Every structure is written in structure tokens, then in C-alpha cells.
Amino acid sequence: MLRRALATLALLSGPLLALADTVGPAATVRLCVDPDWPPYEWLDETGRHRGIAADLVRLIAKRAGLNLQIVRTSTWDESVSLARTGQCDALSFLNQTPERDTWLRFTQPYFFDRNVIITHAEHAAIPDLAALPKGTTVALPTATSIMERIGHDFPHLRVLPVGSEIEAFGMVEAREADLTLRALTVAAYTIKHEGWFNLKIAGELPDFGNRMRIGVSGGKTELVRALDAAIATLTPEEVDEIVNRHVAIDMPARTDYTLVAEVVAGFAVVLLLAYLWIRHLGRLNRRLAELGERLRQDIAAREQAERALKDSEQHYRSVVEMAQEGILVVQDGRVIYANPAFSELLGYSGEELARLDAFDALIALEDLPRARTNHQRRLAGEETEQRYPLRLMHKSGRMLWAETSGVRINWNGRPATLNIVNDITARKAAEDSIRHLAHHDPLTGLPNRVLLQDRLERALASAQRNGTSLAMLFIDLDGFKPVNDRYGHDTGDALLQAVAKRLRGTLRHSDTAARIGGDEFVVLLPVLAETQDAGLIAAKLRTAIASPFEIDGHRITISASIGLALYPRDGDTASELMRTADGAMYADKRQHAV
């Protein structure tokens, strides 16, 4: 009843705030969001829009000259309902789906995140959802695009609808569901912040990447164009900075903050005792003449205090020097203390470190601005990054990745920073390997469909801004199946690798050759001086593929059918260009077959 009354009130006030189809300066956009989807977005207790999407949308709105009015809701379902009835002008952060296309107009994507499979820790790796047994249970939040796709693409799985991300993870943790599917950013954030370390990432879904957009209701074409123009100005560095502000994508090794607190407390105790003792000595010196008879007692008290002070210093020094994390104190740009773990990490002795500049000598040039800025902000007591990665230079000259965090302290009466450093080189290498596998074909090493789609959309955005042309070539190998049948799949695989090598050797550095499945390849030509250049490049590719291949002692000859699509002549979206190029390829294949 209360929700119905609120909806009625919103319908009455809606016309006062509704955005016209023409977007003028400082127009107000009523925005509905997911009130409980950290770290992407949420509403805090004051109703403020927080999270990765919140920061990105505010930046987009600022560049588009728009004012945002956040419509407070209790659930994502309520936000969707208000957008359907026109009580919100837009939804802030969602995937585009065929069902949503019936009532929303979508902007270009402004954030990409791939989906992963979350299971209990002892569950085996899952390379493909299609291979799971019938009836495998999947916990998924309602009103999400991935719930629609899983139900359609994998009907043998049993979907368990839940109300939130937390509930889905909780069901897997409690073994009430076999798995859940969520974006990598959400998975890392939730597992870490909820303490569910008995869960793991058991696989990923490269074809189910989240390309998050703003969904505009009511057919407001001009609003979509204004938002797209602002989105086109976003740089990868700006997006990465905002993501890093809220969450690290992968689960880092946990820093022992108890150790940090103990170290800081130890230094504070040492300084406090020293200060009190100096004051005590001053009083003794002033009263020495008149308190001679008490000299023995005062000396005994001093010796006892000195022993206590020495014991305290030794205790905390032992804790710091036995720590596995690197610990160093930086003051005036120099290392004035480093524990053995930090010396071992970089290969320098304590004496060598004391002679070095803590920044210029130890930190990679590309990361110096970030490290200096965080150091200065900590010294000034300002808000800064609490934990961030940077590259350090080993004494041997090799580079390693480290994760660092720090706090401001007083050292000998002057400000300094106490820093905790962990070696994450192996983790970064694993992340790079996973990232490469997620975007490249494992057989040929060429970009896969996901990376091709990303590059195509970026190229389209650039062509639209600059008024230039681009081309797509859809390539299908003719005569490939007989090679597999006659010589076997190993020879067929070797032939595909040889074709990929010829494609790379024929194309320019700025072009992209991708394998999208079987013997099908797509070439993206993002920059064309003249539109006829695309036909010339297609001819070169056809000639390169027609030249005989020497594979496993066999001389193999194949040919290629090639379809061409040009922007803007044949379409202005990725899907239109792909369909046109695919159709042109089949027409070319029929012509050769005649």
C-alpha cells in the first residue's frame, strides 16, 4: 500500500521534472539507480549516490552539462518499475538486452567487466557451463541481464532467483546453490568484504561480459546523444582511477593491519617514554643539591626506567624485524629505516638504502607521480589511497610489482611515513595471463570476439567524433574442411596458425585481425585515407591466403571468401557492420562457387 501511494505521488509530480526531447543547458535528469549493489553503486543513509557507477555518471553528466536528480528507491526492481512508468528519465548502470531494448534507449558502454563463475572452494574448475550436469543450481539476483541470458542459453541449469548479490553468495557459501555468476569486480569485492574466503572463482564467461550503459526511458533521443558525446570523452585512465578508488579487481594478499598498529604504538611508546624521562632528568638536575640524600633512590629509579625503555624498544624492534612484509620509514624523501624483509625484497643492505633517494632510486619512473602524491598527502594529513600497486626497481635492475600502504608518524619530532610493502609480482603475472586469455584466441593468439567488439566500438566512437571512415572484412576459409578430413585436426590447427601469421604480416600495426570461431576471421581497419583502400587490402589478404602453405610436410592450398562493410556507408553500429560484412562474405562465396 505504501509503495502504491509513493508511486501515485511520483506520477503527479513527474511532469514538473520530466526532461523534454531537446536537452538544453543545465537540464535536470531524474536518475534511478540500484540502491544496494556495491562496489558499483549504492545509496548511503543520506540518499547520496555512491560507488564506481556514481562517480562515472557524475563525470559524464558534468561533461554533458546536465543536472542529476537521484530518485530514491529501496530495491533495483523498484527502480526498474519507476523507469518503465516514466517516473525516472534514466537508469544509471545496466547491460543492454533485447527485452530492455523494447522500452529503453541505450548509450554507448562506459564500463566493461567480465563475468566469472563463483563456487565453493572445493568445487572443480568449470571451463564451460554447457558441460555441467542437468539440474545444477545457479543463484542469480532478479531483474538482471545475466539471469535472462542464462535462462535462455543454458536451459538445463536450474536458476534460483534471489533478491541481492549478498544472498546469492551466501547460498553458495551455505551450499544451498552450486554456483553463482557475477561480474569479476563484484565477486572480488563481495568475497573480500564479507569474509567468504572459502569461495573461489572457478571459471569465467568470456561471451558474457558486462558492457554497462545508461538506459534512457521515453525515447529521449537528444538525451542519449548528449550522454554519448560525454561518454566518448572518457579516457581509460579516468575509468581506472575511479575503479581503483573503490576496489582492487583481484583479491590481494591481506596486509596485517594489527602489525601496523603495533609498530605505530611501539614508536609512540618509545617517544613518549623518552620525553617523560628527559623531563624527569631536568627535575633531578634542578633539585640535585637539596636532594643529595635521595640520589641513590633516584639513580635506582632511573636505571629501572632505562631497563623498561630498552625492553620496550627491543620488543617492538623484534616484531618489526621479524615481519614478512617489507616495512620502511621515509622522511625528507629518504629511507631512514628499513626492516630485513624490505632489504631482501630489493637486494639492498640497510646502509645502501640510507644513501638512496626513496623515490627516484627505488620506484619506476611511470609510478613516481602517484607515489610522490600519496606520500605528500599522507604527510599533510589529507585523504589519499590507502593501498595501491606500484613498480619497484631491484638492485639487479629487474622490475617487480609491489602493493604498498602507509600512515603518517612522527620520527625524531618531525613528520614521516611508515610504509608496508608486499611483493605481488607473481600475482600481477597471473592477472596478465588471465586477462590475455580472456581476450585472445588460445590457438592463434589473435584477439577473440570480446576484444574485437571492444576495439570496434572504440573505433566507431573515434570515427563518429572525427568524421572518418572505417572498414570490416569478414573472412571465411574455402577448402579448410577437406584439410581437416584428409590430414587430421593437428594439421588443420597448424594451418589456422599459419593463416593468422599471414594476416598479421599483411596488415598495418593499427589494424586488428581476430578469430571469431572455426575458420572464420574478421579484420578491422579503423582508419582509412580513402574508402577504396579497404578493397585493396582485401585483395592483398586474398592473395596472401591463396599462396601455398607448407604444413607438416604437406603442400596445402586454400582460398578465402571475403565480405566488406564500410562505415558510415553500410551502417553506424557494430552489429550492422558485422551483418553487412557477413552477408557480403556469403555473396562472395556463392560467386566463387559458380
Side-chain angles (χ1 to χ4, degrees):
M1 183 69 69
L2 177 59
R3 179 173 297 182
R4 182 176 302 171
L6 290 173
T8 302
L9 179 59
L11 282 171
L12 292 174
S13 60
L16 298 176
L17 299 172
L19 188 72
D21 197 39
T22 300
V23 177
T28 297
V29 177
R30 299 169 302 170
L31 189 68
C32 276
V33 306
D34 192 325
D36 185 22
W37 196 15
Y40 286 150
E41 62 176 347
W42 69 93
L43 296 180
D44 64 15
E45 60 275 6
T46 66
R48 178 174 171 79
H49 191 200
R50 305 288 299 278
I52 295 170
D55 290 352
L56 286 171
V57 170
R58 274 194 289 271
L59 180 57
I60 293 167
K62 179 179 178 182
R63 294 183 179 177
L66 301 171
N67 292 325
L68 294 179
Q69 177 184 340
I70 304 301
V71 178
R72 295 186 67 169
T73 59
S74 300
T75 65
W76 171 243
D77 288 340
E78 183 182 353
S79 293
V80 172
S81 178
L82 292 184
R84 279 185 175 273
T85 58
Q87 297 171 68
C88 292
D89 298 309
L91 292 167
S92 60
F93 195 68
L94 71 170
N95 277 298
Q96 183 175 6
T97 66
E99 191 279 331
R100 291 171 178 172
D101 280 333
T102 62
W103 61 282
L104 287 174
R105 288 184 61 86
F106 285 92
T107 67
Q108 293 296 315
Y110 64 93
F111 183 80
F112 174 78
D113 200 2
R114 66 184 185 273
N115 279 304
V116 293
I117 304 169
I118 309 300
T119 67
H120 216 272
E122 70 271 12
H123 200 288
I126 302 176
D128 186 0
L129 289 178
L132 290 174
K134 183 177 180 180
T136 298
T137 53
V138 186
L140 294 173
T142 59
T144 57
S145 61
I146 194 168
M147 183 174 181
E148 299 174 16
R149 294 190 61 185
I150 292 298
H152 178 270
D153 295 352
F154 302 97
H156 69 292
L157 302 180
R158 184 160 65 92
V159 176
L160 304 179
V162 297
S164 67
E165 309 276 358
I166 299 296
E167 187 177 349
F169 279 85
M171 290 184 69
V172 177
E173 195 271 344
R175 294 186 174 86
E176 296 173 0
D178 296 313
L179 56 98
T180 186
L181 308 168
R182 296 313 303 151
L184 177 58
T185 302
V186 173
Y189 179 90
T190 306
I191 290 174
K192 172 183 173 183
H193 284 265
E194 296 299 322
W196 284 326
F197 297 110
N198 55 345
L199 301 183
K200 72 173 184 179
I201 298 174
E204 61 179 288
L205 303 169
D207 293 334
F208 281 69
N210 294 295
R211 311 189 70 80
M212 310 308 292
R213 310 166 189 259
I214 299 173
V216 176
S217 64
K220 300 177 179 65
T221 305
E222 291 301 324
L223 175 57
V224 174
R225 291 176 181 170
L227 292 171
D228 276 340
I231 289 170
T233 69
L234 294 179
T235 66
E237 292 76 16
E238 289 175 321
V239 176
D240 290 344
E241 191 277 330
I242 287 173
V243 172
N244 188 69
R245 189 184 306 160
H246 293 276
V247 65
I249 293 247
D250 293 282
M251 292 173 58
R254 297 176 63 189
T255 300
D256 190 347
Y257 289 103
T258 302
L259 172 61
V260 176
E262 290 177 351
V263 171
V264 175
F267 285 137
V269 169
V270 170
L271 294 174
L272 178 60
L273 289 177
Y275 172 74
L276 294 175
W277 178 240
I278 291 171
R279 290 187 61 188
H280 182 56
L281 286 178
R283 289 194 300 270
L284 286 176
N285 289 332
R286 289 192 300 269
R287 300 176 59 191
L288 184 60
E290 62 188 74
L291 297 176
E293 70 275 13
R294 299 178 59 183
L295 179 59
R296 184 179 304 174
Q297 292 86 344
D298 289 338
I299 292 175
R302 184 184 65 182
E303 290 175 348
Q304 183 179 2
E306 286 177 341
R307 285 195 298 271
L309 179 62
K310 184 176 180 180
D311 290 341
S312 177
E313 288 180 327
Q314 184 63 40
H315 170 72
Y316 288 106
R317 181 173 293 275
S318 297
V319 171
V320 171
E321 293 187 350
M322 292 176 63
Q324 295 183 353
E325 294 89 352
I327 300 176
L328 72 157
V329 178
V330 178
Q331 187 178 66
D332 297 331
R334 308 197 71 81
V335 178
I336 59 174
Y337 171 80
N339 72 341
F342 186 81
S343 295
E344 182 179 355
L345 179 65
L346 294 187
Y348 291 100
S349 67
E351 293 75 19
E352 289 174 322
L353 286 170
R355 294 193 295 268
L356 297 177
D357 185 296
F359 295 93
D360 292 340
L362 301 180
I363 300 174
L365 181 63
E366 297 85 348
D367 296 332
L368 268 177
R370 185 180 192 181
R372 289 186 188 277
T373 298
N374 285 324
H375 177 72
Q376 293 302 324
R377 287 180 176 173
R378 284 199 179 99
L379 289 177
E382 298 173 357
E383 184 176 352
T384 186
E385 293 178 281
Q386 293 303 309
R387 185 171 63 247
Y388 63 95
L390 51 74
R391 285 160 288 188
L392 300 179
M393 302 302 298
H394 191 272
K395 182 180 179 180
S396 65
R398 66 182 176 86
M399 185 181 72
L400 56 90
W401 277 97
E403 187 176 71
T404 181
S405 59
V407 294
R408 183 187 186 278
I409 63 171
N410 283 329
W411 186 280
N412 292 332
R414 295 192 299 113
T417 60
L418 175 69
N419 303 275
I420 310 297
V421 180
N422 288 287
D423 185 359
I424 59 170
T425 305
R427 193 189 81 195
K428 291 291 290 186
E431 291 173 355
D432 292 340
S433 177
I434 292 173
R435 190 177 298 111
H436 184 272
L437 290 174
H439 294 90
H440 292 80
D441 171 50
L443 177 63
T444 65
L446 293 178
N448 61 13
R449 188 184 296 271
V450 173
L451 183 54
L452 172 67
Q453 182 76 12
D454 181 74
R455 291 184 179 178
L456 175 55
E457 292 187 355
R458 290 177 183 268
L460 280 171
S462 176
Q464 290 165 358
R465 286 196 306 269
N466 301 321
T468 57
S469 299
L470 63 81
M472 288 193 64
L473 302 176
F474 202 111
I475 302 173
D476 185 81
L477 302 182
D478 299 324
F480 176 77
K481 185 177 183 303
V483 173
N484 264 344
D485 295 341
R486 182 175 181 181
Y487 302 113
H489 289 284
D490 288 345
T491 300
D493 288 347
L495 176 59
L496 291 174
Q497 292 170 338
V499 169
K501 182 177 180 181
R502 287 194 184 177
L503 292 178
R504 283 193 294 261
T506 305
L507 296 171
R508 302 165 300 182
H509 180 72
S510 60
D511 301 331
T512 295
R515 181 181 178 223
I516 62 173
D519 59 350
E520 293 181 335
F521 298 83
V522 172
V523 170
L524 169 62
L525 308 175
V527 179
L528 293 175
E530 301 290 341
T531 56
Q532 55 265 33
D533 291 348
L536 298 176
I537 295 174
K540 289 182 180 180
L541 294 174
R542 195 188 303 274
T543 300
I545 294 172
S547 181
F549 294 84
E550 296 293 334
I551 307 292
D552 297 332
H554 306 296
R555 185 178 179 84
I556 298 173
T557 301
I558 60 174
S559 60
S561 296
I562 302 179
L564 168 66
L566 290 171
Y567 167 85
R569 186 193 71 184
D570 299 319
D572 57 2
T573 67
S575 58
E576 289 175 344
L577 292 176
M578 286 288 286
R579 284 196 302 271
T580 301
D582 187 36
M585 180 275 294
Y586 279 107
D588 186 50
K589 186 181 291 288
R590 288 192 298 271
Q591 183 178 353
H592 291 157
V594 176

